[in-house]
Amino acid sequence: MRLAPYSYDWIDNLGRRSPRTLLDLPEPTVGERYTTAGRREMGRIVSLEPQRQLTGTILGAFMSYLLVPGGHQTTRLLLKVVMNPSRVLAPALSVGDLVMARRQLLNFKELAEQAPRPNTQ
């Protein structure tokens, strides 16, 4: 998420493709950028439990990602979005975010299922 939105790039990232391979980044820390969209750093990480949960804030919304262990060596990724929009905008924002979040989570699933790449160094 720190590199790109990973949803529909033509909307969230000005057409620039989100990375499609796992990259070796340092662990995130509270206070650093939450994401990058359209080459602009956006939001901040506000809470973090390594390998358990990450919460970021962007444009007045809080987005929490939680990893929940499942059966048969599986893990479930849950997303909760909290914001206080006006009553007029709430339905449109909810539907729009549902579509964008679904694409983001499907992209994360694809990345998580990639086979580990051998270290070439």
Side-chain angles (χ1 to χ4, degrees):
M1 289 180 294
R2 292 178 286 167
L3 297 177
Y6 289 94
S7 58
Y8 290 101
D9 290 329
W10 58 277
I11 294 172
D12 266 352
N13 209 18
L14 301 178
R16 188 174 179 185
R17 188 173 167 91
S18 297
R20 294 298 191 247
T21 58
L22 294 175
L23 302 173
D24 189 23
L25 296 175
E27 289 294 319
T29 59
V30 171
E32 76 178 10
R33 81 170 175 268
Y34 169 66
T35 192
T36 302
R39 296 188 174 134
R40 291 182 43 215
E41 292 184 5
M42 301 181 75
R44 291 282 162 232
I45 296 173
V46 296
S47 176
L48 178 68
E49 292 177 57
Q51 299 184 21
R52 171 104 172 107
Q53 74 86 18
L54 181 142
T55 299
T57 183
I58 185 170
L59 302 173
F62 288 84
M63 303 178 77
S64 293
Y65 298 82
L66 176 66
L67 293 173
V68 179
H72 306 293
Q73 297 182 338
T74 63
T75 302
R76 186 177 192 111
L77 175 60
L78 304 177
L79 168 62
K80 180 178 182 179
V81 179
V82 177
M83 66 183 306
N84 191 14
S86 71
R87 288 181 173 237
V88 175
L89 291 178
L93 288 173
S94 295
V95 170
D97 190 61
L98 176 66
V99 171
M100 300 299 280
R102 181 178 185 278
R103 168 54 36 214
Q104 181 189 59
L105 294 175
L106 288 171
N107 283 335
F108 288 163
K109 176 183 184 290
E110 184 178 308
L111 285 168
E113 291 175 344
Q114 286 180 5
R117 295 176 188 255
N119 190 349
T120 59
Q121 295 180 0

